Amino acid sequence: MGNGNDSPLKKTWVRLLKNKPAFISLIVICIAMVLSIIGPSIAPDKTPDADDQVLQLANMNPGFSTKMLLVQKNREEKKTSFLSKIFIGKENPNEMIPIVSYSFDTSANIVIQAYQGIGRAPLQRSIPLVDVCEALSITNQNFVIKGNQLSYTNYNEQAHVTTIDAMKKEIEQNRIITKSYLLGTDNYGRDILSRLLFGVRVSLSVGLVAVLISLTIGIFMGSVAGYFRGKTDDIIMWLINVIWSIPTILLAMAIRFAIGDKIPSFLAIFIAVGLSMWVEVARIVRGQVLAEREMEYVQAARGLGFNHARIIFKHILPNIIGPIMVIAASNFAAAILIEAGLSFVGIGIKPPTPSWGTMLNDHRAYLLTPDKAFLALAPGICIMIMVLTFNLLGNGLRDAFDVKGKTV
């Protein structure tokens, strides 16, 4: 039994926390929110959109690991701010070459047996040591070898001298690494785990913006229809019934096609999903407002001369916040499914931005192959978990706001 002085909101919160499925779902959602923010900083592939491709490692199984030779790309590295590294990622300054073995020759080169894929013979390549260590600073391979020393001039025409043994040591310590892929790689040799982490951001962003759009339109339309009734109600209900008759995914596809490429695909998906879900909100709000408008406190507000907008938004809506929150959680789950569906059919988020729906579409052919089914199962499981958590949270909110016969 709770304290009789506790506010209704606090009692609702306590009831929600006592609902184990809803509480666990809330924890999962909070973890997903954190991952959506800091994903680029903890993902194995920290490049923007986790789009670092190593084509030789396409479709590798979970747990695959290989040695990599890091060769600096021959271009000036772009400066990236600290916040940009955390939230967006940073371009990889190195070209990653999977190798089977390596050795050093007498001409200041590293000789590698480059991995070419399962069932293919390694390809032998010879790469100058300066390309591996100092590619950013070397211009036109302007270096001279004298004995064990190597002299070169960088792009600022500054002379540098180092030893070949020092370069070999640096390569062995810092330029040859072992890279593991916990969930394997996709068709382009990209790390699946990293792309799944980036995909959390897409799903939660679409869900959040779509819910905000649907709530804004739905609450306004539903409250106006329920409060004023009459012809206003008839017109709005006619519009709701027309839109309600169209399958949500088809309506979202139609809106997406209508928007086209006039705006970025990310924003287009926000709008398409949001505009396809407001009717359910409007129906719920209309029914609640129809019941609340006959209550004594509304009649008292009218008697005091309050205008309609104040009565609706300051008196009625705060008293129906429970059903609105429940439908918001349900719409969040629906938005994730719709976005995944749009991406699955190729009209959602454009590559290379990772979307769980796009990842599922790219690898759906592997569902019937036992050794590669994980490529499609991984994003599918992520979609299932997020939809399930929001549905369970919605059920928990419904029970928490339903105070009939319940005590804290």
Side-chain angles (χ1 to χ4, degrees), residues 218-239:
I219 289 175
F220 175 78
M221 300 292 280
S223 59
V224 169
Y227 184 82
F228 292 103
R229 299 189 299 185
K231 290 185 177 180
T232 302
D233 185 25
D234 293 340
I235 294 173
I236 293 178
M237 282 306 300
W238 175 84
L239 177 62

Side-chain angles (χ1 to χ4, degrees), residues 13 16-17 19-35 385-386 389-390 393:
W13 177 249
L16 178 65
L17 295 182
N19 187 318
K20 289 185 179 179
F23 179 65
I24 294 174
S25 298
L26 189 60
I27 293 176
V28 173
I29 292 170
C30 290
I31 293 174
M33 292 174 62
V34 173
L35 291 177
I385 290 174
M386 291 308 302
T389 54
F390 277 103
L393 179 61

Side-chain angles (χ1 to χ4, degrees), residues 89-106:
K90 180 185 178 183
E91 291 289 346
N92 190 348
N94 303 306
E95 175 191 358
M96 298 192 299
I97 303 176
I99 62 174
V100 176
S101 61
Y102 70 94
S103 61
F104 298 101
D105 63 13
T106 58

Side-chain angles (χ1 to χ4, degrees), residues 324-346:
I324 292 176
M325 292 184 65
V326 173
I327 194 64
S330 176
N331 277 0
F332 213 117
I336 293 174
L337 275 179
I338 294 172
E339 183 278 323
L342 293 176
S343 296
F344 183 81
V345 299

Side-chain angles (χ1 to χ4, degrees), residues 115-160:
Y115 180 80
Q116 297 298 301
I118 298 176
R120 297 181 180 180
L123 176 65
Q124 181 170 309
R125 292 179 58 184
S126 181
I127 305 175
L129 300 181
V130 290
D131 281 357
V132 178
C133 296
E134 298 288 348
L136 182 64
S137 301
I138 301 297
T139 301
N140 298 324
Q141 305 296 335
N142 184 21
F143 59 91
V144 178
I145 299 176
K146 293 182 179 179
N148 190 40
Q149 287 189 338
L150 184 145
S151 304
Y152 63 90
T153 303
N154 66 9
Y155 62 93
N156 287 327
E157 297 185 357
Q158 296 176 340
H160 294 269

Side-chain angles (χ1 to χ4, degrees), residues 8 44 49 58 78 93 105 191 219 232 245 264 363 392:
D49 295 325
K78 296 180 180 178
D105 63 13
D191 184 66
I219 289 175
T232 302
S245 66
H363 305 104
L392 290 177

